[in-house]
Amino acid sequence: MNTQKVIQKTKKKTIRFGVSMSPALLQEFDRLIKDMGYGNRSEAIRKLIREKLVQKEWELSANEIVATITMVYSHEVGELTERLTEIQHKYYKQIISTMHIHLDEHNCLEVLAVKGRASAVKSIADRLLSTRGIKHGQLTTTSTGKKLM
Ligand code: NI
């Protein structure tokens, strides 16, 4: 669910919740929101949470990630193999490696290593995994490691 939908959904019903914090932190917060021109704490907290959600969403979609896309399918189904190959060629820049294993007479296991913007990787996986005839598919995302210690 994207941030806009979350905001729309929560508009329907307002939920009250308590927040615990030290008096010193609350005093700092009150000073901050007064400087920022908010009328009350609830208004300020809502705005700050929305900002954070939007920021997080943007960061996630813009980040470069690596992922594997795993697919199990029968190579005998219609033109499934051709369709999957066609999609993969379209994204040759992001798909850095593929492995194809013939599981038995009918079934194939294909594992793709993909690297690129999170939003691009997600849409590649969506296109492949929504192809009719895929028996099982999964996208597993991980970090490029650049930002990890
Ligand atoms: Ni095969």
Side-chain angles (χ1 to χ4, degrees):
M1 204 186 297
N2 67 33
T3 308
Q4 203 55 42
K5 278 183 191 160
V6 171
I7 291 165
Q8 279 171 0
K9 211 172 181 188
T10 50
K11 264 183 189 167
K12 287 175 191 164
K13 193 184 165 212
T14 304
I15 296 164
R16 297 176 66 91
F17 67 98
V19 179
S20 308
M21 66 177 85
S22 70
L25 184 60
L26 185 59
Q27 201 177 0
E28 281 294 307
F29 182 67
D30 284 343
R31 202 173 296 151
L32 173 79
I33 65 176
K34 198 185 167 199
D35 288 347
M36 292 171 86
Y38 290 111
N40 57 60
R41 288 173 185 157
S42 289
E43 190 190 329
I45 289 170
R46 278 195 299 271
K47 181 78 191 306
L48 292 172
I49 289 173
R50 280 196 201 106
E51 272 176 18
K52 197 71 197 165
L53 288 172
V54 170
Q55 186 196 339
K56 182 85 185 162
E57 191 168 274
W58 188 87
E59 281 173 7
L60 285 176
S61 66
N63 267 358
E64 191 181 62
I65 60 163
V66 282
T68 57
I69 299 170
T70 308
M71 301 179 284
V72 175
Y73 60 90
S74 165
H75 68 94
E76 293 155 327
V77 170
E79 289 168 0
L80 178 57
T81 307
E82 287 79 0
R83 229 171 280 142
L84 293 176
T85 305
E86 206 178 293
I87 297 168
Q88 290 184 44
H89 275 271
K90 198 164 181 184
Y91 298 102
Y92 70 91
K93 282 179 183 163
Q94 286 87 10
I95 298 170
I96 50 181
S97 182
T98 68
M99 178 169 66
H100 185 111
I101 295 155
H102 309 304
L103 291 174
D104 56 34
E105 286 89 346
H106 316 284
N107 294 299
C108 306
L109 167 68
E110 212 160 288
V111 182
L112 316 182
V114 191
K115 187 178 165 189
R117 283 170 61 116
S119 54
V121 170
K122 179 82 173 55
S123 73
I124 293 167
D126 284 344
R127 284 202 64 177
L128 288 166
L129 302 182
S130 67
T131 306
R132 237 180 102 182
I134 298 281
K135 289 181 177 178
H136 182 249
Q138 195 165 314
L139 168 69
T140 306
T141 57
T142 183
S143 163
T144 56
K146 283 178 193 165
K147 287 180 181 170
L148 299 177
M149 300 258 199

